[in-house]
Amino acid sequence: MSFRIRAITLDLDDTLWPFAPIGERIERAIDDWLHTHSPRTAQRFPIPAMRALRDRVHAEHPHLAHDYSRLRRMTLEQALSESGEDATLAEAAYEAFQAARNDIDYYPDSLAALHRIAARVPVAAVTNGNADLARIGIAGHFRFTLCSREHGSGKPDASIFLAACQRLGHAPGDVLHVGDHDEIDVLGAARAGLRSCWLNRADDRGQRRAWPHAGLRPDLEFDTLTALADWLDANHQSSPRSAAA
């Protein structure tokens, strides 16, 4: 399919990098920190118990579903309190979380493709997560990051997509949202009036998912970010990079 777009909103987790290894790294980093700085908490909350506590805190505070950072801090505070430790240690423990959270292993094609895409059109990160692009070192490729915590609600709510379009200075129909999740990214963006691109990467067995919804489909589907960069090159050869609003 060929159409012109003036800006891109881009998901992060499982789009630029796989999140599963980061999640495992976070659990180990927090566990290591607790063993050093709060052994009683580490003993009471080994990794499986800390995971269960995190799930309990999430379930008890559904109004904070858009704010993973706050929920993480609350989980650490609760773990420290329940083990008889000083809950003010949670901030230092959260820094251990942040270091692990922003220790990124990209998909092999991501960085080169992101560089090419950002040279073509303005790119904004739109995420429900809490990655810190400045800390990771790629903030220069993005006009801004709009996260669910900042916005007050997350994808697939239409308002976060529309807020990103407003900040980019372009109508939703001129903006392409790119992400891995069929509902949160693709359907959410499409229902907000944006163009949508499903980044449907192959799994460890080389298999790609079939589109699971009847009716509404993504405008584009690629299995790498490089393929999206190629599509942009083919469809925007005579278009200068759009200026930021």
Side-chain angles (χ1 to χ4, degrees):
M1 181 181 293
S2 178
F3 53 86
R4 292 187 107 43
I5 57 102
R6 301 184 68 186
I8 282 177
T9 56
L10 185 66
D11 177 54
L12 299 175
D13 291 326
D14 292 320
T15 295
L16 287 182
W17 52 72
F19 182 76
I22 299 171
E24 295 173 1
R25 191 176 298 128
I26 288 169
E27 290 183 330
R28 292 194 304 269
I30 291 175
D31 191 59
D32 290 346
W33 189 94
L34 290 172
H35 273 94
T36 300
H37 301 281
S38 182
R40 282 187 296 180
T41 307
Q43 183 176 11
R44 180 159 181 177
F45 291 98
I47 288 175
M50 184 66 80
R51 194 181 300 143
L53 176 61
R54 179 199 64 198
D55 292 344
R56 171 157 62 92
V57 169
H58 281 233
E60 290 174 350
H61 300 88
H63 61 292
L64 295 176
H66 64 284
D67 191 345
Y68 288 122
S69 296
R70 180 68 186 123
L71 289 168
R72 178 68 68 170
R73 282 190 170 93
M74 292 171 68
T75 300
L76 293 168
E77 290 166 0
Q78 190 73 17
L80 290 161
S81 178
E82 289 187 16
S83 57
E85 291 280 19
D86 183 357
T88 62
L89 289 172
E91 198 57 37
Y94 183 77
E95 175 54 32
F97 156 77
Q98 279 282 74
R101 175 63 176 92
N102 294 296
D103 182 7
I104 298 300
D105 294 319
Y106 297 95
Y107 290 113
D109 64 298
S110 290
L111 284 180
L114 177 61
H115 179 80
R116 290 173 58 196
I117 292 166
R120 281 286 181 196
V121 294
V123 180
V126 176
T127 177
N128 289 352
N130 49 12
D132 184 337
L133 297 188
R135 189 163 181 163
I136 293 169
I138 59 171
H141 292 300
F142 294 85
R143 294 298 174 91
F144 59 84
T145 299
L146 181 58
C147 65
S148 57
R149 180 186 185 190
E150 171 193 350
H151 181 68
S153 63
K155 301 177 295 182
D157 189 87
S159 65
I160 192 169
F161 294 105
L162 296 177
C165 292
Q166 184 175 29
R167 286 179 64 176
L168 285 164
H170 295 300
D174 292 329
V175 178
L176 177 71
H177 180 71
V178 182
D180 70 289
H181 200 283
D182 56 293
E183 294 183 359
I184 292 174
D185 289 306
V186 177
L187 295 186
R191 288 167 179 160
L194 284 72
R195 295 283 192 170
S196 61
C197 175
W198 188 31
L199 195 61
N200 184 17
R201 293 184 181 276
D203 62 20
D204 292 339
R205 297 172 298 173
Q207 301 297 311
R208 289 186 291 276
R209 293 167 289 163
W211 180 249
H213 304 280
L216 189 61
R217 295 188 60 85
D219 293 295
L220 300 171
E221 178 182 342
F222 298 119
D223 58 1
T224 66
L225 208 60
T226 298
L228 173 61
D230 291 342
W231 180 89
L232 279 172
D233 286 348
N235 285 274
H236 291 71
Q237 289 180 358
S238 61
S239 293
R241 178 173 174 170
S242 300

